[in-house]
Amino acid sequence: MKIDGVAHRSIWLSENGWSFHIFDQRKLPWKLEIVEITNADQAAAAIKDMWTRGAPLLAMTAAYGLCLALREDASDASLEKNYKKLLETRPTAINLRWALDKMKAAVQPFQGKDRIEAAYKRAAELCDEDVAINSAIGEHGLLLIKALAKKNKSVNILTHCNAGWLATVDYGTATSPIYRAHDEGIAVHVWVDETRPRNQGALTAYELAQHGVPHTVITDNAGGLLMQQGKVELVFVGADRVTRNGDVANKIGTYLKALAAHDNNVPFYVALPYTTFDASLESGMDIPIEERNYDEVRFIEGKDGKTQITDSPVSNPAFDITPARLVTGYITEKGVFSNLSAAYSDAA
Ligand code: MRU
């Protein structure tokens, strides 16, 4: 991804070879602030408080967080303690557990200095894998956009939340085909859901603007009307966990977009890497849904600060479940599938 024309990843190891950097996404799109993470507690806070976010990226933050923990204390007890601490930061995205399990398996055969080395090596590999996977998702999803592309007319794609490069190490999942289409000269326009209460739509809009992709931010309830008016050709969303039957946990509000898409015959695609597939669960109803701080609903926050909008009781579920029957297809690194068992039979 490019910021002001300069290539970046969303997470990277410092020149000192042990701490790592992320963007403080709470400050975007108003301020591009890079944070150095120097210990596991800070990594856990960065995930929990959403300085960094998005299923694949929070998993990579945990992987490097575990490296930092082992650097301070490489014992088995430290490994277990910090694995647990990082895992407990956020409950819904399965990528977090996946990355921590991969890290644990990679370091367990070693002790001391060798264990620390193995940890950093594995974390770097996981980041590189994420980039390759998202690039492949872009390649496969591009075909869906190409099929709808007509001369002198944009393909209008609606997206919810941020499943872009700020949610991954690079490219994003749902946005990866969009960037690729734009780079190939296909006219695309993106309807960007605002995504209350954390306004991840502002992050998507920031990314699209940096890449020069035409887009329009809409309120979370506008998508249905736009679909009725024939102004949406495709819906592309990301996922935090997809179960064996194809149910999808993603940012709260995704389900309502899927219902509206179904009612209006608009194809609804979920982009996901295999790291988001949870073969241990049959149905989406078994996925734990994160309930976040009520102040996220009570207050709205913007460029000029924070203001309270209600003092009534509130509820703040951060994700919902879109049943498989509403999903037209899954865009994966292996291709586009209407049924996930073909894509991930090896993971089951
Ligand atoms: O709460 P967030 O911002 O971490 O939620 C992010 C999403 O729901 C994304 O759509 C999902 O993680 C896919 S990111 C490639």
Side-chain angles (χ1 to χ4, degrees):
M1 78 230 198
K2 284 195 175 153
I3 301 174
D4 297 330
V6 180
H8 287 80
R9 282 187 173 188
S10 301
I11 185 167
W12 65 99
L13 197 64
S14 312
E15 276 180 15
N16 62 23
W18 61 270
S19 65
F20 67 96
H21 287 99
I22 53 170
F23 298 109
D24 185 347
Q25 298 194 21
R26 298 169 305 172
K27 310 265 170 69
L28 283 168
W30 309 115
K31 200 168 170 208
L32 185 69
E33 194 169 303
I34 293 171
V35 193
E36 183 182 11
I37 307 289
T38 57
N39 60 63
D41 284 341
Q42 206 189 354
I47 299 170
K48 208 176 171 52
D49 300 337
M50 292 175 69
W51 318 357
T52 184
R53 38 147 302 283
L57 184 59
L58 62 87
M60 299 308 147
T61 309
Y64 271 120
L66 201 60
C67 295
L68 293 175
L70 295 175
R71 187 176 171 267
E72 279 179 18
D73 175 357
S75 67
D76 288 351
S78 159
L79 175 61
E80 288 307 326
K81 188 180 92 186
N82 287 286
Y83 172 98
K84 192 165 173 289
K85 178 166 60 196
L86 290 158
L87 185 64
E88 283 171 354
T89 50
R90 295 193 73 188
T92 304
I94 191 64
N95 311 56
L96 183 60
R97 179 185 291 276
W98 175 89
L100 286 167
D101 283 346
K102 291 286 169 203
M103 290 295 294
K104 203 174 183 184
V107 303
Q108 250 163 354
F110 303 100
Q111 296 293 331
K113 231 171 140 261
D114 293 344
R115 177 170 277 183
I116 301 167
E117 226 170 78
Y120 276 99
K121 182 171 173 283
R122 194 68 184 113
E125 284 167 1
L126 296 183
C127 286
D128 289 346
E129 265 175 43
D130 184 66
V131 176
I133 286 170
N134 298 332
S135 171
I137 286 174
E139 212 171 287
H140 298 301
L142 170 66
L143 302 177
L144 300 169
I145 302 177
K146 262 190 176 159
L148 290 171
K150 294 205 181 78
K151 233 179 160 204
N152 299 328
K153 194 183 171 297
S154 285
V155 179
N156 292 286
I157 303 165
L158 183 140
T159 193
H160 190 69
C161 193
N162 172 265
W165 50 249
L166 282 164
T168 64
V169 182
D170 208 347
Y171 300 118
T173 56
T175 56
S176 185
I178 297 172
Y179 291 131
R180 201 168 275 241
H182 177 80
D183 291 348
E184 290 205 4
I186 297 169
V188 281
H189 165 263
V190 186
W191 296 111
V192 180
D193 286 348
E194 173 192 23
T195 319
R196 270 281 288 154
R198 296 292 298 220
N199 302 322
Q200 285 94 333
L203 301 173
T204 303
Y206 171 79
E207 285 191 15
L208 293 168
Q210 287 290 337
H211 205 87
V213 180
H215 61 280
T216 308
V217 177
I218 53 175
T219 59
D220 288 328
N221 297 319
L225 176 74
L226 295 174
M227 291 185 211
Q228 285 174 323
Q229 292 174 333
K231 293 178 178 168
V232 182
E233 275 89 40
L234 286 168
V235 180
F236 281 0
V237 297
D240 288 83
R241 196 186 298 217
V242 179
T243 51
R244 277 208 308 276
N245 67 349
D247 288 354
V248 176
N250 192 48
K251 183 51 57 194
I252 191 80
T254 304
Y255 173 42
L256 292 178
K257 297 301 164 295
L259 282 171
H262 189 255
D263 196 44
N264 290 283
N265 292 317
V266 175
F268 181 95
Y269 286 95
V270 176
L272 79 149
Y274 73 95
T275 54
T276 302
F277 182 62
D278 185 355
S280 76
L281 295 184
E282 173 56 30
S283 150
M285 289 303 137
D286 299 328
I287 297 174
I289 300 292
E290 180 178 11
E291 182 79 17
R292 290 194 62 85
N293 194 305
Y294 294 152
D295 281 354
E296 290 183 353
V297 179
R298 287 201 184 105
F299 293 81
I300 47 172
E301 207 171 342
K303 191 177 182 189
D304 298 323
K306 202 168 171 175
T307 190
Q308 188 161 3
I309 54 166
T310 183
D311 56 7
S312 286
V314 296
S315 166
N316 188 16
F319 299 94
D320 63 21
I321 305 298
T322 299
R325 68 186 159 79
L326 299 177
V327 179
T328 310
Y330 304 85
I331 311 171
T332 77
E333 68 278 23
K334 298 184 180 189
V336 180
F337 297 88
S338 56
N339 180 328
L340 268 186
S341 53
Y344 297 135
S345 52
D346 47 340

